[in-house]
Every structure is written in C-alpha cells, then in structure tokens.
Amino acid sequence: MESKEIRKRFLRFFEQKQHEIVPSAPMVIQNDPTLMFTNAGMNQFKDYFLGHSEPTSNRITDTQKCLRVSGKHNDLEEVGMDTYHHTMFEMLGNWSFGDYFKKEAIAWAWELLTKEFNLPADRMYASVFGGDDAEGLAMDQEAYDYWKEIIPEDRIINGSKKDNFWEMGETGPCGPCSEIHIDLRTDEEVAATPGKDLVNMDHPQVVEVWNLVFMQYNRLANGSLQNLPAQHVDTGMGFERLAMAIQGKKSNYDTDVFTPLINFMADKAGVKYGEDEKVDIALRVISDHIRAIAFAIADGQLPSNNKAGYVIRRILRRAVRYGYTFLNLKEPFLNTMVPILADQFDGIFPELIAQKDFIEKVIREEELSFLRTLDKGLSKLDVIIENVKNGSKIIDGATTFELYDTYGFPFDLTSLIARENGLSIDEEGFNKEMEVQKNRSKKAAETSAGDWIELKPIEEVQFLGYESLTATSSIVKYREIEEKGKKLFQIVLDKTPFYAESGGQVGDTGYISAGDQKVSIINTKKENNLIIHFANELPKQLDAEFEAVVNKKKRKLTENNHSGTHLLHAALRQVLGEHVQQKGSLVNEKVLRFDFSHFSKMTEEEIAEVEKIVNQKIRENITLSEQRNVPIEKAKEMGAMALFGEKYGDFVRVITFDKDYSVELCGGTHVPATGTIGMLKIISEGSVAAGVRRIEAITADKAEEYYQKQDELVHQVNELLNHPKDLVKAIASLVKEKQDLTKTIETINQKEAGAQKEVLQKSLQSVNGYNILISEAQLPDAEGLKKLSFEFKNELDNLIMIVAANIAGKPQISIMISEELVKKLNLHAGQLIKELAQEIKGGGGGQPFYATAGGQDLSGLPRVVDKAKTIINEITNY
C-alpha cells in the first residue's frame, strides 16, 4: 500500500466515525510563548483542552506537520543515525473534545490497525500508565480493562510515567497514555526474544506506532496537576512508522515516503544506498532535513540567526555538512530536491507546490552562503592544524568552539579533520565553552511565570477594540512573571478594548483605573487564545470594576501604518507581479515595515510607481469595508489573500479597500477610510534574506515631518548658494569644481611625495646584505606615505623601512619589511609598531610585513627614529 493511500484511508476511517477532517496547522507556531514549532498533533487544539475556546466539532481528525528539534522533544542529533528518528514528520491523529474517551479510542485504534491496515494482531503490544507514587497518581486501570477485552493480558504492559504519561511541555495539558507497539522482526528473532521484552528499549524493529493520550490534567507552573474542565482524547500516530509497518520495511527510510529523495541524492552524488554506513547516514540526514527546511520556509519561517530561524538554519547547515563531507558535494544540492518533495505532497500540503520556486531560491542562497563559510573555516582550520602540529598536537577547546560558533563547524567535523592529521581535540574544553554560551543565552532570554490566580469564571474574553477604545471591565485572572530580572504582572480582563500584538501589529498600551488608582498597561499580547495585558503593578482592589482605556494617539497612528501596509502590498503586486507575497510585517505608531518575496532590488522607478499608486488610493479616500465571520471559502472566492504560515479558522475577518484593489484576511485594526492616512513615503528598500525584500515607510505625521525636513534642507542649500535659478545645476557645478580641485591636489601631493622619495633615498643604507631606511619625513597625506613604502618594497630586496612622518601636522609611523626578512629575522611589523607608537602617544598595528600607527605627540618623531635604529641595530648589526 502506497503512503498516499495509507494517509487517505486513515482520514476516511475516522470521517466514517463522525470526525471532521481539518487541515494541518502551520509547523511554525504563533502566539504561544511555550513553543517555537508544532511538535505534536494536539498543539493547534491546545485552547480546546484548556477551555479557552470552543471546537468546531467534538470529533476531529487530521494529519499534522510536526518538527522536533528543540526543547523537551529534541531528536536532531539522532536523525540519520538510526532508521526511525526524524526532524519533520507527519502525525496522524483523532481527537475527542469532551465526547468519547478511553473505550472508543482504544477500540477504534485496534480496528483500524488490524482490519483496515491488516497489521498482525499477534505482533502488537499495548502499554498503559502504571501509576506514579511521587505524583499521587494511580495506575490507569480503566485503560487496562479495555485492552484486556481485546488482547491477551501478557501483551499489556504497565508503563512508567516517562513512557506512559504524556506532557506537551513543562506546563500545559497532559494525561496518561496508552501506546501501541509493533514487532517487525523475523519469526526467528521473535522466537529467540519475546517482543514484550523489547518494548521501549529503542529497538529499531520493535517500535511505538500509535499513542493514545487521555487528556485529564493541566500541568501548572508550580508542578502540580489540575483537572481539565472536560476529558479529552488526543491520539498521535507517526505516519512514517505506520508506512514502515504496512509496507513491510525495516526502516522508515526504506518506505516510499523517503526512497524518491534518497534515490535522487544517491544518483546526484554517484553513490549507492546500502553499501557504506557513513554514506547511508548522510543520505538519510539529507532526505529528512530537506522536508523540515522546505515546510518551515513554506510556513513563513526563513533561516536566520534568531530563535526559530536559527533552528531552521542549523538543520540546513547540518544537511549541507553531511553532503559536503560524506558525499563530496561542493555545490548547492538541497534546493534541487524541492520539486520531488512538492510532488510527493501535492493534494495534502499544497503550500509546497504554491511556493516551490521561492523555497528553491531561498534554500540555494542559504547553501551558497554556508559553503562560502565552510571554505573560510577550512582555511582557518588549516592554519590551526599547522600551528598545533609543531606543538601539543591538541586543538584546544576555545579554538574548536570558535570554529563551531563563527564558521558553523560542528565538533565532529573538526574532530574528523584533526584525526586525519594525527591530532586530537580538547573535548572537555569545547563542552565548557558551549555551556558558557548556553548559560549566557538562557540568562538573556530568561522568563519565568507563576500560575494563574483566577478571580471569576468566564468562557470567552470579549474584544471590543474594533468599535471602541474604552470599556468597563473586570479582572478574570492574573499572574506574576519575571522577564530578564524584572517583575511584571499579566492581567486578563473579561472585556477589553486593547488590541493584542498579532499579525505584525504591535499591542495597545493605555491604562485601567478604578477609584483613585490608575495602572498603566505597557503592552498587550496574545497567548494561545487569551488577550493578556502587561503591567508593572497590580491594582489594589482586584475585584473592582475598571475603566479600560487605550492610548488613542498611538492606536490611530498604528492604524494608519497598518492600513498603509495593505495598500502597499496591493501596489507591490501591481508593479512587481503576482509572485509578491507577504513574508513578515511590523506596524507601530512610528513606522511600517513590510517584508515580501521578490528576488531583485527594486529600481528607483519601481519604488516611485508603488508610492504613487498608494498615495493615489489614499487621496481617493476609500471607505473601509470590514466583514466579520466570513466563511473561509467565501473569503477566498472574494480574492482575499491568505498568508502561508497562518492558521485560519472556518470563519475569518476580511478587510477591503476597494474590492478590485486590496482584499485581505486580517485581524488588525484599520482606518475608517484611506484619506485618514494622509500620505505614505517609502524611506528604504533592501534585502533581509534570500528572496525576501523589505520596505520601510512612514505615514501621516511622520511623512509630513519627513517632507518638512526635506523642504528645510533644500531651503538651507538655496541660502548657501545664494538662491541660484537652477539648484541642481549649481550643485553639479560645485561637485565638478571639487573633483577638479581634488585632482589638482593629488598631482601636487604626488610631486611632493616624489621629492620626499629622493630625500629618503639619501637615508638608505645597504649593510650586511640588508637595505635599511630609518628616517623622518614630511608628507601631505597618509596615502602618499603608504605609496612610498610599497614602492621601496617593490624596488629593494631585504628591506627594513621605518618612517616617522609629519602628515599635515599629525604624527604617523610606517613600517615595511620584506617577507623574506620577516621569516629570517622573526620580525613582525605589527608588533614592532606598537612599541614605537608609544613615543608619539599613539597606537597601531598591522601585518607581519606592513604596519602603520598614528599618535598625538608630533615632538616624538625624532625619538621614534632613535628607538627604531637601536632596535634594528641589535637585530642586524648594521
């Protein structure tokens, strides 16, 4: 059975059990500070478990894109080494939100595996939670009894908390689980060792295929467990492992999920899979990692040096390193796999097909950049090895870490190259450096949160901010947090006019007041489905009725920029083409920043045309059309642009400024009509990543200030030039005049330098085979001194030249030494000049053969000459 058919049958099975099939959530998570990536199928349903929002159906099924490379569930270093770990994988799942529970979940799982997929019942085992005394949790007898009705008791295993109590993270929904394991070994192997003895022992053919989680609790920050408002079912089955079991393979990588990618790369590298373990690992790493990279980019996460972007860059570089080291691939290769991947997932994850060209280009640029970095690192490593060979024969930890941190060299690659050269690595020193960096990063990003203290029950927070900037509210719950050593409070109101940071728009600020106390709200953010207000203090009377007031000026200016962004997006598509897609944005009261897909620098004409279109739409004073609760399919029929990487519900909000110009899905706040924006001025356009450009622009007051300053500048220039009839022509004439004068000065300086050369030649001494020139000089500029130094070097062998020069009233020293003397006499111009520069109260440095220094004490130049003569005499006896 092909993998596409397996996926289809799974979803159809649960659809027949009255489950609604829903699309996968993006792999990159928004509005959840506890996670960077979706690491389990249940992530998108977290709010349902916590009771923050209502599901569209009590029964849901899907296949979810997941990524496990950070945090508690981190499989990255194991990927490729074995046959069943992955970074990106699909999680097939079925969910019940307060509907069916353990009995149905267990029965349906068994029915699907044994009847629909015909997996051998006598090769499967079920594990149940065996209890935990420390937590005060009893054994899951209920699940045990249901399994007992289906399979013999000798195939039911009491599991530990580690294996059979599922937790998404340090906090959040959790509960006991029942895992289904399958034994894929040969009959002879089974006869020798029962499969039951190998469950959860990391045996590559005795693997967990499905986990049935019974969500009953919420793990609080203090470690305690709280009962959830209702009992839920959350199941997760690894699609790749299921394919392995159904297709009768011994490895996930032998299934048709991976073989097209592995075969393609093997052909490209001129190798065969299955003949060399190192080559096989490289092919597995690459075929796995390209999936994670491509889907992350499709979901809007570009490789970068921060947070989620850093994780994707790290995965990409790991794949490139394996190809570079073990497959001898020295040119970009990952990008060539994207078309195969897109075809594989056509019909299930259409975002790959839709963005195929963009994903390919981004990956290729990242590969080129890293390959250049690798080359630099290899060159640096060559120098390190040469130096170490003559000494301890050990590359110290600090050096190894610098290679890792600066040049992207992993420890194992440095270690491999070192061993090939008969050297070893200070592994302990490297680990210490790594730990220092980790602790530094943790401290910089340290945030801790206490548990929520609930004051009153509420089903859903009302957001009133589209209609009003004030509201009468009560505090529902609050908690204390610590962020970078500072104590803050998070407050949830039952009704709020404060917009929470989302979709690029910053959160509102303002205050809440009751009686004589006014508490400033310094930010508003969204966590899962909660609107959270940040404050430096708590109100004294927590149960009071509060007046919640948004900072009106900041909100209005932010709305100008947000609506301006929509107009800008539409204009860019009109001028540059339909390939333009939003890749990120920031809108606050000061500026709008818009990132978009485009692979070349915009011309001045294109920027001017975009700006012209936007300002024309502003002058048209187009009235905002805001439609709420529009069915998602209807919104798409209207032409609304949905952003890749965003998770949309069945009903969406549509923002329209002229149905033939700008129609977007958006939850942000906007101007009532475009004329409110006043004007828009683009102030910069540049690259932020491969295939992604960034425009920064200003609107309203800021744009007006910009033009006022430009007008003032022109007025000042006119004043300076006595109000010429043609200002541009007058400036051009001045520039031409300056260029002519510069050439004249250069000619004079060259003549003066030539005269000084003749003077310096008189100080030249040829003694004992050395050409030594130590003298004072007077030159018009530093460039002349440098030019003279190199001229003498090119004309004379065995040269030692030290000049103490007066450069337009400022002291400067230049040292030039022939390369052969650098080695022969163990001289270093950069070190020598530091000693001489002390005489002019200055400093400098440079290469072994050439160095310069400047200073403050012109009277020290004679002392420089005397000191230089003494030093060189001791070395050469001249």
Side-chain angles (χ1 to χ4, degrees):
M1 190 185 299
E2 290 187 352
S3 56
K4 285 186 177 181
E5 179 64 19
I6 294 170
R7 190 192 289 115
K8 190 186 298 181
R9 286 199 187 187
F10 175 89
L11 295 174
R12 186 176 61 201
F13 177 86
F14 281 103
E15 186 178 35
Q16 292 168 352
K17 303 288 185 187
Q18 291 75 54
H19 287 63
E20 178 189 353
I21 300 174
V22 299
S24 170
M27 203 164 65
V28 182
I29 287 188
Q30 307 291 336
N31 298 325
D32 187 345
T34 64
L35 286 171
M36 280 197 292
F37 301 103
T38 297
N39 64 6
M42 62 78 65
N43 291 161
Q44 66 167 308
F45 308 122
K46 190 175 173 182
D47 284 340
Y48 302 159
F49 295 131
L50 291 170
H52 293 163
S53 57
E54 291 294 318
T56 54
S57 169
N58 287 335
R59 298 183 181 188
I60 281 176
T61 186
D62 76 350
T63 177
Q64 171 65 52
K65 299 173 291 185
C66 297
L67 188 68
R68 288 189 180 174
V69 288
S70 60
K72 179 181 176 183
H73 300 290
N74 188 345
D75 298 337
L76 181 58
E77 295 309 320
E78 296 173 59
V79 174
M81 301 302 169
D82 57 32
T83 59
Y84 54 91
H85 275 101
H86 304 290
T87 49
M88 181 266 171
F89 60 96
E90 282 185 71
M91 186 73 86
L92 302 170
N94 59 289
W95 285 269
S96 163
F97 305 111
D99 188 4
Y100 64 84
F101 202 44
K102 296 178 184 178
K103 182 177 181 179
E104 295 85 350
I106 290 170
W108 290 341
W110 192 252
E111 179 187 348
L112 178 65
L113 292 175
T114 57
K115 294 183 179 177
E116 183 71 28
F117 291 138
N118 295 316
L119 290 173
D122 62 349
R123 287 296 192 92
M124 287 190 281
Y125 300 86
S127 63
V128 299
F129 178 52
D132 186 86
D133 292 338
E135 293 268 14
L137 293 170
M139 170 195 169
D140 191 352
Q141 189 64 48
E142 185 182 6
Y144 188 94
D145 291 341
Y146 288 134
W147 276 116
K148 194 168 62 172
E149 295 173 10
I150 296 173
I151 59 176
E153 286 190 70
D154 64 356
R155 291 218 302 279
I156 306 174
I157 300 162
N158 280 334
S160 65
K161 181 188 169 191
K162 174 180 174 290
D163 293 324
N164 284 88
F165 193 89
W166 197 91
E167 303 195 55
M168 188 184 67
E170 298 300 323
T171 61
C174 56
C177 63
S178 187
E179 297 175 339
I180 301 172
H181 298 258
I182 189 164
D183 187 347
L184 302 174
R185 296 174 301 152
T186 63
D187 291 339
E188 291 77 17
E189 289 173 312
V190 171
T193 308
K196 186 174 183 179
D197 296 343
L198 298 175
V199 167
N200 283 326
M201 294 297 174
D202 292 328
H203 193 288
Q205 269 82 58
V206 182
V207 294
E208 173 200 338
V209 70
W210 205 346
N211 191 9
L212 317 178
V213 180
F214 309 120
M215 291 288 190
Q216 298 175 232
Y217 307 107
N218 182 30
R219 175 74 69 182
L220 301 179
N222 64 12
S224 64
L225 294 172
Q226 181 186 67
N227 287 325
L228 289 170
Q231 294 179 327
H232 313 290
V233 169
D234 157 29
T235 84
M237 176 154 56
F239 173 63
E240 295 79 9
R241 290 188 184 185
L242 178 63
M244 174 177 68
I246 292 173
Q247 294 178 5
K249 304 297 183 181
K250 298 298 183 185
S251 162
N252 294 358
Y253 292 96
D254 292 338
T255 68
D256 68 339
V257 178
F258 289 98
T259 50
L261 296 168
I262 288 175
N263 293 338
F264 174 81
M265 280 312 305
D267 288 344
K268 192 174 188 68
V271 297
K272 284 190 177 180
Y273 185 66
E275 292 186 352
D276 182 310
E277 181 62 14
K278 288 181 179 178
V279 167
D280 291 353
I281 289 172
L283 290 170
R284 289 197 292 266
V285 166
I286 292 165
S287 63
D288 170 274
H289 287 10
I290 185 59
R291 290 158 38 102
I293 299 158
F295 275 108
I297 295 170
D299 280 350
Q301 182 55 64
L302 297 171
S304 71
N305 287 329
N306 297 303
K307 298 181 180 177
Y310 174 71
V311 175
I312 301 307
R313 177 165 282 168
R314 184 178 166 211
I315 294 171
L316 186 148
R317 290 183 167 189
R318 185 172 189 257
V320 173
R321 289 196 311 260
Y322 270 91
Y324 188 96
T325 306
F326 299 107
L327 303 181
N328 199 33
L329 296 168
K330 309 302 184 190
E331 296 294 328
F333 60 88
L334 285 172
N335 63 97
T336 63
M337 304 172 76
V338 174
I340 298 170
L341 200 62
D343 288 340
Q344 275 188 303
F345 287 101
D346 189 20
I348 184 67
F349 299 130
E351 57 268 34
L352 288 187
I353 286 282
Q355 300 183 85
K356 181 167 68 70
D357 291 345
F358 175 72
I359 295 167
E360 282 185 68
K361 288 175 181 176
V362 170
I363 292 174
R364 177 176 167 78
E365 288 301 315
E366 278 289 318
E367 289 185 273
L368 284 169
S369 173
F370 182 53
L371 286 168
R372 287 192 294 268
T373 300
L374 268 179
D375 285 338
K376 288 179 187 174
L378 284 168
S379 299
K380 186 168 180 64
L381 187 55
D382 286 343
V383 174
I384 292 166
I385 287 171
E386 201 58 43
N387 292 335
V388 173
K389 273 183 176 178
N390 301 323
S392 64
K393 297 192 180 298
I394 300 172
I395 301 177
D396 65 86
T399 301
T400 309
F401 182 76
E402 184 194 355
L403 283 167
Y404 165 82
D405 197 41
T406 306
Y407 297 97
F409 260 65
F411 178 84
D412 55 0
L413 183 56
T414 306
S415 183
L416 175 70
I417 296 170
R419 283 198 304 273
E420 289 172 354
N421 286 272
L423 307 174
S424 60
I425 303 284
D426 175 14
E427 186 170 354
E428 187 178 341
F430 173 83
N431 290 335
K432 282 181 181 176
E433 294 286 340
M434 179 71 84
E435 195 61 32
V436 167
Q437 189 200 55
K438 283 181 179 176
N439 291 336
R440 191 164 51 239
S441 299
K442 280 180 186 175
K443 195 170 182 182
E446 209 165 58
T447 300
S448 61
D451 290 319
W452 287 106
I453 297 173
E454 300 201 14
L455 300 180
K456 57 185 280 190
I458 186 171
E459 288 186 5
E460 189 175 356
V461 172
Q462 292 183 54
F463 174 62
L464 308 176
Y466 293 139
E467 295 83 11
S468 175
L469 297 181
T470 63
T472 302
S473 310
S474 300
I475 295 178
V476 175
K477 58 183 178 179
Y478 69 91
R479 69 179 176 183
E480 184 179 317
I481 68 166
E482 190 171 303
E483 207 168 68
K484 297 180 181 177
K486 185 180 180 181
K487 185 166 75 172
L488 296 172
F489 294 93
Q490 293 181 337
I491 298 169
V492 177
L493 303 173
D494 61 347
K495 297 184 287 292
T496 180
F498 287 82
Y499 180 82
E501 179 184 318
S502 184
Q505 181 175 333
V506 297
D508 281 333
T509 58
Y511 65 86
I512 58 173
S513 65
D516 61 352
Q517 188 185 18
K518 184 185 285 187
V519 173
S520 294
I521 300 301
I522 58 175
N523 202 356
T524 311
K525 292 188 177 183
K526 189 174 282 187
E527 182 174 319
N528 300 312
N529 206 40
L530 283 178
I531 296 174
I532 296 173
H533 310 77
F534 287 71
N536 289 317
E537 60 177 332
L538 275 179
K540 295 171 187 172
Q541 195 177 343
L542 291 166
D543 59 354
E545 195 171 71
F546 293 88
E547 187 72 12
V549 180
V550 172
N551 181 325
K552 182 178 180 180
K553 183 179 180 182
K554 179 186 173 187
R555 166 74 87 84
K556 293 300 181 185
L557 290 172
T558 302
E559 287 176 347
N560 289 336
N561 284 330
H562 199 158
S563 298
T565 302
H566 282 223
L567 301 182
L568 177 68
H569 189 184
L572 284 166
R573 288 171 66 84
Q574 195 170 309
V575 172
L576 301 179
E578 296 296 305
H579 65 280
V580 168
Q581 294 283 344
Q582 180 177 330
K583 292 298 173 185
S585 72
L586 168 71
V587 286
N588 58 30
E589 73 277 20
K590 296 176 182 176
V591 70
L592 70 87
R593 191 178 75 201
F594 187 74
D595 297 346
F596 58 98
S597 52
H598 188 57
F599 279 87
S600 60
K601 179 178 173 63
M602 288 180 68
T603 65
E604 292 296 326
E605 292 76 16
E606 287 169 339
I607 292 172
E609 182 63 19
V610 167
E611 200 175 89
K612 178 182 174 183
I613 292 169
V614 172
N615 283 311
Q616 181 182 323
K617 294 298 177 183
I618 290 172
R619 288 192 299 275
E620 288 175 15
N621 199 26
I622 303 164
T623 302
L624 165 69
S625 171
E626 180 216 20
Q627 296 168 275
R628 301 181 202 172
N629 299 315
V630 179
I632 183 71
E633 292 307 318
K634 183 182 177 184
K636 289 178 180 177
E637 287 171 13
M638 293 164 61
M641 283 188 287
L643 301 182
F644 291 108
E646 288 285 342
K647 174 66 177 174
Y648 298 104
D650 293 333
F651 296 90
V652 293
R653 181 168 176 260
V654 180
I655 295 297
T656 304
F657 291 108
D658 180 349
K659 64 182 177 61
D660 296 321
Y661 181 70
S662 172
V663 185
E664 293 197 30
L665 304 181
C666 180
T669 64
H670 289 275
V671 296
T674 59
T676 308
I677 300 169
M679 69 181 86
L680 178 142
K681 175 60 186 170
I682 295 172
I683 55 175
S684 70
E685 187 275 346
S687 173
V688 287
V692 179
R693 309 293 298 178
R694 170 174 292 172
I695 277 180
E696 288 198 3
I698 48 179
T699 63
D701 297 356
K702 293 290 182 184
E704 187 177 338
E705 287 172 17
Y706 175 88
Y707 283 113
Q708 283 176 345
K709 286 179 181 176
Q710 293 298 307
D711 191 52
E712 287 171 13
L713 182 62
V714 171
H715 178 72
Q716 288 170 5
V717 173
N718 262 311
E719 286 280 325
L720 288 169
L721 298 177
N722 293 319
H723 298 279
K725 290 181 181 179
D726 188 331
L727 181 60
V728 174
K729 189 175 179 181
I731 292 172
S733 176
L734 275 176
V735 171
K736 174 80 166 52
E737 188 178 327
K738 179 182 178 296
Q739 289 171 344
D740 291 343
L741 286 171
T742 301
K743 287 179 182 176
T744 301
I745 291 168
E746 284 176 356
T747 302
I748 293 169
N749 287 345
Q750 284 172 5
K751 287 180 180 178
E752 198 171 330
Q756 277 294 317
K757 185 176 181 181
E758 292 178 14
V759 173
L760 288 172
Q761 279 176 327
K762 293 175 183 177
S763 301
L764 180 65
Q765 298 182 51
S766 297
V767 182
N768 298 331
Y770 302 115
N771 286 307
I772 299 171
L773 196 167
I774 302 174
S775 178
E776 282 191 66
Q778 188 155 346
L779 289 158
D781 58 21
E783 188 59 34
L785 177 59
K786 180 180 179 181
K787 189 169 179 289
L788 278 177
S789 300
F790 276 91
E791 282 181 8
F792 274 107
K793 177 179 180 287
N794 293 333
E795 294 169 7
L796 298 169
D797 295 327
N798 295 326
L799 174 69
I800 299 175
M801 177 179 176
I802 303 174
V803 177
N806 180 337
I807 306 288
K810 292 184 179 179
Q812 187 158 329
I813 308 168
S814 171
I815 300 178
M816 178 67 75
I817 306 172
S818 298
E819 277 94 340
E820 58 267 26
L821 294 188
V822 168
K823 294 178 182 177
K824 180 180 176 181
L825 302 176
N826 196 25
L827 285 172
H828 193 294
Q831 294 172 359
L832 177 57
I833 206 160
K834 288 176 182 176
E835 186 175 349
L836 296 178
Q838 295 172 9
E839 302 301 326
I840 56 170
K841 296 182 181 177
Q847 299 163 283
F849 71 93
Y850 178 64
T852 59
Q856 300 173 353
D857 186 0
L858 194 63
S859 67
L861 292 178
R863 295 193 297 273
V864 171
V865 172
D866 291 342
K867 192 171 188 178
K869 287 180 177 178
T870 301
I871 293 171
I872 299 304
N873 186 41
E874 289 175 358
I875 297 170
T876 63
N877 294 318
Y878 85 99

